[in-house]
Amino acid sequence: SRLVIARANVGPSASRRAQAWACDRTSASSTTRLASPYTNAKFEAMDKRFESMEENTNAKFEAMDKRFESMEENTNAKFETMDKRFESIEENTNAKFASIEETIVREIESTRVELKAEIQYVHDELKDLRMDLANVEQITAKNWLDISRLKAVK
């Protein structure tokens, strides 16, 4: 007959010490041999080594989890800081654009007023020149009339 020795897994939350080695006999005959004390000692030594390895592995995974959590917290804090900086930059930029826009509007308005005044001045001067030109034409016409009368008298 054959002796099958299997390790019973109790689950992650149960104590590893509560795990037991179970013997399952493939035959119910009385000739089935049990494991020798030397073999049991070897299995117990292996079990202790596995438990030690498992504890070390779990400790390392916990340490890694803690490091990842602290890295995540640091990363989140840095992203929050960057978000605040971007918001601050955006607010400053918007304020500067608003200020520039107001300055441009004021400059355009003052330029418009100045140009209107200058155009009005040029318009008034042109009107005066037209009147002066009309007077010159009238005087010239009168002079031509006087000249033509003097020629006629001669």
Side-chain angles (χ1 to χ4, degrees), residues 15 24 33 47-48 61 82 131:
S15 169
D24 180 24
R33 292 182 348 183
D47 189 37
K48 287 179 183 176
F61 278 127
M82 287 176 58
M131 295 207 36

Side-chain angles (χ1 to χ4, degrees), residues 146-154:
D146 289 341
I147 290 173
S148 87
R149 282 188 191 158
L150 286 174
K151 280 185 182 179
V153 172
K154 234 184 192 190

Side-chain angles (χ1 to χ4, degrees), residues 19-30:
Q19 294 178 346
W21 290 95
C23 295
D24 180 24
R25 295 184 199 151
T26 57
S27 168
S29 70
S30 61

